[in-house]
């Protein structure tokens, strides 16, 4: 369902979070076996004496991702200076490797103190339903988070009305980054919005000049599905796009077929090494001017900042998607039976604070999940993203786990790989529809 901006912003009053750090209550930290599904939840407001270390699990290892994570760690360390942080990040864009490794740990009762999760379906299916996450109702109340996250973000952070994750950053997934000098030298003008027709005209111009127009790094399994979902959104518009995730019959519309055809056409402009590159490698091609565009999320801007290449980059919404904001929101969980429950709770207090989110956003490439932060010091890119978020229609990302169940996401990933190898429009469409139907029937 498309989330209207009023709904998203409802309740986003300018309440500041309570100070970070240990509370003075003498309540004792509870201890249950790490990651034991169904064990008595560790109290989310746990307070007491910090343990020696805090282990945080994520997939943030690229330049901008690691720089952003360091800012969150610094915010935690400011309130817990004696605690050593174990950064258990597993490389792989979109969490493809990390999520698999994490499942092994959770199933073996080896939960870290906190792990990264997308909001929405991923949180619900992979972590809450199996009983790995402790509820955070009390922590939310203590920190005033119900008033500082938009209602749409709160909804996606919760299962049956109970919050299970602390959102830290909100990325826009439907952004088309481009090399400004390359466009200029080829006589291409990119305005504030871009139609699909104008995009393909620009692609043809670049192709004639011998330059790959579309940089893709589909060694990361999310990259091509993200290009596809952005194209679906551009052709269908936000309402019909959102309906796809709730009603499998919507996959048989003419608009879906048109979007797949447009996606197939885009694949004709790729960098020849796309299968060998990751998303950040593809972004680097654009920064270097050896490819024209890359359709990616805000985190690409964090990559440009980390490499000092941001001055070469322009941006516009993915063709046809102006007025829509594909939300890709990361948060951190509290496990049932955290090994270091006092530290875990303090980590979440820090990560949810306005200070930490303001420090994190410019490096990671995202806007804060909180809406009560001062964005005046942000770079022009983040100011653009933050301003658009207040007016655009928010829609979920399937490539990043929020829109559909993990099995539907995986089916689309697999079908997309097959489509790149052998682009048959009807097979692709029908395979996805079948996966959506199977999930709805399960
Ligand atoms: C997304 C995640 C972002 C970014 C991106 C590339 O799934 O939400 O924070 O890290 O993957 O790895």
């Amino acid at each position: 369902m498309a989330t209207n901006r009023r709904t998203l912003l409802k309740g986003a009053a300018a309440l500041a979070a309570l100070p970070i750090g240990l509370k003075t209550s003498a309540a004792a930290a509870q201890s249950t076996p790490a990651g034991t599904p169904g064990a008595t939840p560790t109290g989310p407001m746990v307070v007491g004496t910090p343990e020696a270390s805090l282990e945080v699990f994520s997939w943030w290892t690229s330049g901008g991702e690691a720089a952003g994570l360091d800012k969150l760690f610094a915010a935690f360390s400011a309130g817990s200076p004696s605690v050593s942080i174990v950064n258990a990040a597993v490389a792989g864009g979109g969490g493809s490797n990390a999520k698999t490794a994490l499942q092994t740990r959770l199933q073996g009762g080896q939960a870290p103190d906190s792990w990264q999760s997308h909001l929405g379906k991923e949180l619900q299916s992979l972590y809450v339903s199996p009983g790995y996450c402790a509820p955070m109702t009390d922590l939310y109340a203590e920190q005033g988070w119900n008033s500082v996250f938009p209602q749409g973000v709160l909804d996606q952070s919760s299962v049956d009305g109970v919050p299970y994750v602390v959102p830290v950053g909100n990325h826009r997934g439907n952004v088309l980054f481009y090399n400004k000098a390359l466009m200029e030298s080829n006589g291409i003008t990119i305005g504030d919005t871009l139609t699909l027709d104008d995009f393909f005209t620009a692609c043809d111009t670049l192709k004639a000049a011998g330059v790959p127009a579309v940089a893709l790094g589909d060694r990361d399994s999310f990259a091509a599905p993200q290009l596809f979902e952005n194209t679906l959104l551009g052709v269908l518009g936000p309402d019909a796009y959102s309906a796809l995730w709730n009603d499998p019959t919507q996959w048989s519309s003419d608009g879906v077929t048109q979007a797949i055809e447009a996606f197939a056409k885009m694949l004709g402009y790729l960098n020849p090494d796309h299968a060998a590159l990751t998303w950040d490698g593809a972004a680097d091609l654009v920064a270097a001017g050896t490819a024209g565009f890359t359709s990616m999320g805000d985190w690409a801007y964090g990559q440009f900042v980390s490499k000092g290449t941001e001055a070469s980059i322009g941006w516009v919404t993915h063709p046809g998607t102006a007025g829509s904001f594909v939300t890709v929101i990361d948060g951190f969980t509290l496990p049932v039976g955290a090994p270091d429950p006092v530290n875990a709770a303090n980590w979440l207090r820090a990560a949810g604070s306005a200070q930490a989110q303001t420090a994190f956003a410019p490096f990671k490439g995202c806007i804060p999940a909180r809406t009560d932060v001062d964005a005046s010091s942000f770079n022009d890119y983040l100011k653009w993203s933050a301003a658009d978020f207040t007016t655009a229609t928010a829609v979920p990302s399937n490539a990043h786990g929020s829109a559909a169940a993990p099995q539907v996401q995986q089916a689309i990933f697999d079908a997309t790989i097959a489509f790149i190898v052998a682009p048959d429009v009807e097979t692709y469409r029908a395979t996805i529809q079948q996966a959506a139907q199977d999930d709805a029937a399960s």
Side-chain angles (χ1 to χ4, degrees), residues 59-60 62 65 92-95 99 116 118 122 171 220 222 226 279 296 299 328-330 360 364-365 399-401:
W59 59 85
W60 285 340
S62 74
E65 291 173 340
K99 286 193 253 180
Q116 177 187 356
H118 291 122
E122 180 177 310
H171 311 82
D220 281 326
F222 77 84
Q226 182 167 352
W279 70 267
M296 200 31 67
W299 52 88
V328 182
I329 306 176
D330 296 299
F360 170 75
K364 177 63 173 65
H400 297 281

Side-chain angles (χ1 to χ4, degrees), residues 13-200:
L15 276 181
L18 298 175
I20 309 165
L22 291 176
K23 306 296 169 192
T24 49
S25 157
Q30 299 174 39
S31 177
T32 50
T36 306
T40 306
T42 301
M45 285 187 66
V46 71
V47 290
T49 307
E51 299 87 358
S53 65
L54 168 83
E55 186 185 21
V56 177
F57 188 99
S58 77
W59 59 85
W60 285 340
T61 59
S62 74
E65 291 173 340
L69 185 57
D70 275 351
K71 294 293 174 188
L72 294 183
F73 287 160
F76 169 77
S77 292
S80 305
S82 63
V83 176
S84 65
I85 297 172
V86 178
N87 180 357
V90 173
S96 50
N97 303 325
K99 286 193 253 180
T100 307
L102 180 60
Q103 280 302 317
T104 305
R105 289 190 56 168
L106 294 177
Q107 286 164 19
Q110 301 291 322
D113 291 306
S114 186
W115 65 83
Q116 177 187 356
S117 174
H118 291 122
L119 275 51
K121 293 280 185 181
E122 180 177 310
L123 173 73
Q124 178 183 347
S125 303
L126 296 182
Y127 308 124
V128 175
S129 295
Y132 295 132
C133 287
M136 298 192 200
T137 310
D138 294 347
L139 195 59
Y140 264 65
E142 175 203 277
Q143 295 292 310
W145 286 333
N146 290 311
S147 305
V148 297
F149 296 125
Q151 190 59 49
V153 173
L154 289 168
D155 291 345
Q156 289 201 57
S157 302
S158 305
V159 178
D160 296 332
V162 176
Y164 285 97
V165 73
V166 179
V168 294
N170 182 1
H171 311 82
R172 188 176 207 169
N174 56 313
V175 186
L176 192 71
F177 297 97
Y178 59 90
N179 185 290
K180 289 191 289 190
L182 187 63
M183 296 302 148
E184 201 178 321
S185 63
N186 283 279
I188 299 166
T189 304
I190 307 291
D192 289 344
T193 64
L194 189 61
T195 66
L196 205 49
D197 286 347
D198 287 345
F199 174 63
F200 283 131

Side-chain angles (χ1 to χ4, degrees), residues 331-344:
F332 283 90
T333 60
L334 179 68
V336 169
D340 303 289
V342 174
N343 297 345

